[in-house]
């Protein structure tokens, strides 16, 4: 990032700009190392002025001047340290104990720093500690351990509790590349760590918090963890081992999924059978780029194919993980929380009566948190060339490093969770479809909807936000409707008769970036994960002025409503989910206000479509069998490639036809927060689906929920004003 950069040389006084580019400094001259400040404007520095020159010692200043002090052809002169008489510094005691095999890690408060910004204290209950097992020459790299995300083999070493004040103190193995993840009460990662650290034998490693800056210091308090002895890691379901899909996740599928997802006649169902039941499975094609990087023996051994397991290929598309070329900035907390993955969302709704137990869900969530790996050892990716692994173990023994042979697969005994067939596990009965109550006068036509709307007088109002930015509201009349869907998910049943007793003014569109920035000028909707083959940007922008504001927490949306209330004198809030569904339907009883699930949506809604499906997250790596282009969930695709709505990510609001009451983007574009709680979790209900979702997930009755603090990549909001009489008068007085 550009934070902390004062100027660049040579920059001719121009401010340093943030750039996102692979090999950022490859063709950038001059290059500098090891500056030593002489004054506040002058530095001794090692400098490499051009590709044809040498590393020399220069005097540099903030005015772009460079004066050569010394250069030696054939040598690189580095680390210019002036020699001058000075007091002998005190001798520090040794910080390591060479005979030990462990080290200590202390975290003062996880909530210090940007990593968990906005997450309520107490949300993080534990840390997952895992180790990276790096690849071998000619074997390592992307799309080997798993598709488009995991780069290395990962071994879960265990978990450790986080104290109520956010502190933690625990013991780890020394000389091991380590990473940690902050877990919530459900064992799901609230924040991911995409780098790693090591600790020397006996060393005490500490940090202030999570992605704290150099300016963050420890507050003068005795943290709870510091008052006790260091905790040992609690192993994760057996000894530490490389996380492997076939060994850790396939048993879940065997127990709960394979009896239906068995490769039968229904092509809409992903085939989740294990590899031994798929003799026809040939594996994934390797891209020419990846083949060129392989060791010659590996090329010959593979025939140009990489062997992911078939169930892995089928299931991988249903989870969200950070991919190889995605946004490299610090992740927003919860950005890739397992609850944003369609797989977990389906199962939590009781997918066809399937109710995985706690261990089954933990295995799935852990797989997602680790970037969805397929293989747990490098030898299962390709044959390791003779002698290479043995040499690695020899060097580790000589010079320090993990002493375990990570290519050995330890035996894990868990008689309560073996790969038994699904028929041996009881399923929750599929709930009977609920009957639909009778409601006289429901549904009603578009003409009747417009008549009822017009009966209240004016149907449109404009709220002025300043600087030429306005917000359009439309009148939603009072009335009764049938809320829910007898053909929908269990949480949409049974359909119920609901009365909306008072009319209200509702935002004709979702709140846009430019509107939200009148309240919060620093708001950043950021980007959608990379869906193209360029590596010199962060993905597709969600930040244009007329795109809906997303990655807005529910709490922040409510702050906007309070700000708008104070600014206008109106009572502005979020709609309840009953208000939202009633307004969305506008008198319709069909799944979508414009028709059935197979209706051409291209004029009506921005949902997962041909344009979205055609931009797969591939960066010259593997094209998975079946691909991520056309994915199937609940009988309809995650990306419905029959129609093209012309948008890949969020479109400018109002780009599609409104419903009968003049509301745009009620289906798709951005999902929308409501005022309602989801029982019993207390999360806030989200309605409408988004560009990420197929029509079935954007239905009038479809529901999801997220914690109120979470800034979700595809969730925004629209406002409602609930005091129609006073509102009409106040609006009439506005310019």
């Amino acid at each position: 990032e550009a934070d902390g950069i004062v100027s660049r040389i040579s920059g001719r006084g121009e401010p340093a700009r943030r750039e996102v580019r692979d090999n950022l400094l490859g063709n950038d001259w001059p290059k500098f190392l090891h500056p030593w400040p002489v004054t506040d404007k002058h530095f001794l520095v090692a400098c490499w002025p051009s590709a044809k020159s040498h590393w020399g010692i220069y005097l540099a200043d903030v005015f772009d001047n460079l004066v050569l002090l010394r250069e030696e052809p054939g040598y690189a002169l580095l680390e210019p340290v002036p020699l001058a008489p000075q007091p002998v510094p005190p001798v520090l005691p040794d910080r390591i104990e060479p005979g030990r095999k462990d080290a200590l890690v202390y975290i003062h408060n996880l909530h210090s720093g940007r990593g968990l910004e906005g997450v309520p204290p107490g949300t993080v209950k534990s840390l997952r500690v895992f180790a990276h097992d790096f690849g071998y020459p000619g074997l390592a790299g992307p799309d080997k351990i798993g598709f488009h995300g995991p780069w290395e083999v990962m071994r879960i070493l265990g978990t450790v509790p986080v104290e109520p004040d956010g502190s933690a103190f625990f013991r780890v193995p020394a000389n091991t590349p380590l990473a940690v993840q902050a877990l919530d009460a459900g064992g799901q990662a609230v924040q991911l760590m995409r780098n790693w650290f090591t600790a020397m034998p006996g060393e005490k490693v500490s940090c202030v918090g999570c992605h704290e800056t150099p300016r963050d210091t420890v507050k003068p308090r005795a943290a709870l963890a510091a008052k006790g002895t260091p905790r040992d890691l609690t192993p994760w379901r057996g000894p530490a081992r490389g996380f492997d899909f076939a060994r850790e996740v396939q048993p879940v599928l065997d127990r709960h999924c394979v009896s239906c997802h068995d490769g039968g006649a229904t092509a809409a169902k992903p085939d989740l059978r294990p590899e031994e039941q798929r003799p026809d499975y040939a594996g994934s094609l390797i891209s020419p780029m990846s083949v060129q990087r392989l060791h010659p023996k590996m090329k010959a051994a593979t025939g140009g194919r990489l062997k992911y397991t078939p169930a892995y290929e089928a299931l991988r598309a249903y989870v969200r993980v950070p991919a190889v070329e995605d946004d490299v900035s610090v992740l927003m907390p919860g950005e890739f929380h397992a609850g944003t993955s369609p797989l977990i969302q389906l199962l939590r709704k009781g997918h066809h009566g399937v109710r995985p137990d706690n261990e089954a869900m933990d295995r799935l969530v852990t797989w997602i948190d680790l970037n969805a790996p397929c293989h747990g050892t490098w030898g299962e990716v390709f044959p390791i060339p003779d002698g290479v692994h043995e040499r690695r173990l020899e060097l580790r023994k000589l010079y320090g490093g993990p002493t375990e042979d990570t290519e050995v697969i330890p035996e894990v005994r868990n008689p309560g969770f073996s790969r038994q067939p699904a028929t041996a596990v009881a399923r929750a009965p599929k709930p009977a479809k609920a009957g639909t109550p009778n409601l006289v006068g429901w549904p009603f036509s578009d003409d009747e909807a417009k008549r009822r709307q017009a009966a209240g007088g004016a149907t449109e109002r404009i709220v002025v936000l300043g600087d030429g930015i306005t917000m359009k509201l439309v009148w939603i009349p009072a009335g009764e409707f049938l809320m829910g869907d007898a053909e929908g998910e269990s949480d949409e049943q049974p359909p119920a008769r609901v009365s909306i007793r008072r009319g209200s003014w509702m935002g004709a569109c979702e709140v846009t970036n430019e509107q939200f920035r009148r309240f919060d000028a620093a708001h950043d909707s950021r980007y959608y994960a990379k869906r193209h083959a360029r590596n010199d940007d962060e993905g597709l922008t969600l930040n244009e002025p007329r795109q809906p504001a997303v990655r807005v927490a529910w709490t922040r949306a409510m702050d906007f409503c309070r700000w708008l209330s104070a600014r206008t004198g109106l009572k502005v809030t979020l709609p309840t989910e009953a208000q939202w569904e009633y307004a969305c339907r506008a008198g319709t009883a069909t799944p979508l206000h414009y028709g059935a699930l197979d209706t051409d949506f291209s004029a009506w809604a921005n949902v997962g479509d041909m344009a979205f499906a055609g931009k797969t997250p591939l960066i010259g790596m593997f094209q998975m069998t079946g691909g991520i282009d056309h994915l199937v969930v609940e009988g309809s695709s995650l990306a419905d490639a029959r129609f093209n709505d012309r948008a890949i990510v969020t479109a400018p609001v109002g780009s599609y036809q409104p419903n009968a009451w003049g509301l745009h983007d009620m289906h798709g574009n951005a999902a929308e927060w409501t005022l309602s709680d989801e029982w019993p979790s207390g999360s806030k209900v989200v309605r409408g689906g988004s560009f990420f979702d197929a029509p079935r997930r954007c239905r009038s009755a479809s529901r999801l929920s997220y914690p109120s603090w979470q800034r979700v990549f595809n969730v925004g909001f629209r406002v409602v004003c609930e005091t129609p009489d006073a509102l009409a008068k106040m609006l009439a007085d506005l310019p």
Side-chain angles (χ1 to χ4, degrees), residues 9 68 72 80 221 224 259 293 421 449 456 505 530 614 627 663 677 728:
I9 299 174
L68 175 64
E72 292 283 349
R221 65 175 180 86
L224 293 175
S259 60
R293 296 171 177 169
W505 293 93
K530 196 67 67 69
L663 296 169
D677 292 338

Side-chain angles (χ1 to χ4, degrees), residues 163-248:
E163 303 297 339
D165 64 351
S167 62
F169 188 27
F170 52 97
R171 197 178 304 276
V172 297
N175 297 325
T176 302
L178 302 170
V180 298
Q181 294 176 341
L183 308 183
D184 61 18
Q188 304 158 108
V190 174
Q191 184 57 285
L192 306 177
M193 182 174 179
R194 295 180 290 173
N195 54 1
W196 51 273
F197 68 98
T198 59
M200 299 287 283
E203 186 181 5
K204 298 178 178 65
V205 179
S206 66
C207 62
V208 173
C210 183
H211 273 286
E212 75 277 8
T213 71
R215 295 182 295 274
D216 293 323
T217 57
V218 174
K219 292 184 178 179
R221 65 175 180 86
L224 293 175
K227 297 178 181 179
T229 57
R231 294 179 180 265
D232 292 325
L233 299 176
T234 301
W236 184 79
R237 307 193 182 284
R241 60 205 183 273
F243 193 98
D244 183 273
F245 182 89
R247 291 188 285 275
E248 312 294 352

Side-chain angles (χ1 to χ4, degrees), residues 459-534:
T459 61
E460 295 183 1
R461 302 288 185 182
I462 301 296
V463 175
V464 177
L465 302 181
D467 284 348
I469 298 170
T470 61
M471 178 182 291
K472 180 180 176 181
L473 307 176
V474 297
W475 176 250
I476 309 299
E480 284 188 296
F481 78 112
L482 292 182
M483 182 176 178
D485 187 345
E487 301 293 326
E489 304 287 355
S490 59
D491 61 348
E492 303 164 23
Q493 301 180 33
R497 179 174 174 173
V498 175
S499 177
I500 304 298
R501 299 183 182 278
R502 295 186 303 175
S504 61
W505 293 93
M506 181 176 280
C509 298
E510 296 149 341
V511 173
T512 65
N513 285 315
E514 65 179 2
Q515 290 169 342
F516 194 79
R517 287 178 187 137
R518 292 295 299 156
F519 157 68
D520 179 1
H523 173 71
D524 186 1
S525 288
R526 298 180 77 154
Y527 300 83
Y528 178 63
K530 196 67 67 69
R531 295 191 71 80
H532 50 83
R534 289 183 56 199

Side-chain angles (χ1 to χ4, degrees), residues 597-621:
L597 289 175
D598 59 357
T599 300
D600 183 348
F601 51 77
S602 54
W604 294 96
N606 173 20
V607 301
D609 68 315
M610 182 188 299
F612 185 86
K615 296 289 185 179
T616 58
L618 300 172
I619 309 180
M621 306 302 177

Side-chain angles (χ1 to χ4, degrees), residues 100-148:
R100 297 191 66 94
K101 294 185 177 181
D102 62 354
L104 300 177
V105 176
Y106 171 71
I107 301 173
H108 190 68
N109 182 1
L110 281 163
H111 290 278
S112 296
R114 294 173 56 197
L116 292 174
E117 185 178 18
V119 179
T123 301
V124 176
K125 302 297 185 184
S126 61
L127 297 176
R128 177 189 291 130
V129 183
F130 62 98
H132 291 286
D133 182 27
F134 299 117
Y136 299 81
L139 175 56
D143 291 319
K144 307 292 197 306
I145 292 301
F147 177 75
H148 206 55

Side-chain angles (χ1 to χ4, degrees), residues 29-41:
W29 301 94
K31 301 183 189 298
F32 298 95
L33 283 174
H34 311 131
W36 184 281
V38 179
T39 73
D40 61 343
K41 292 182 173 58

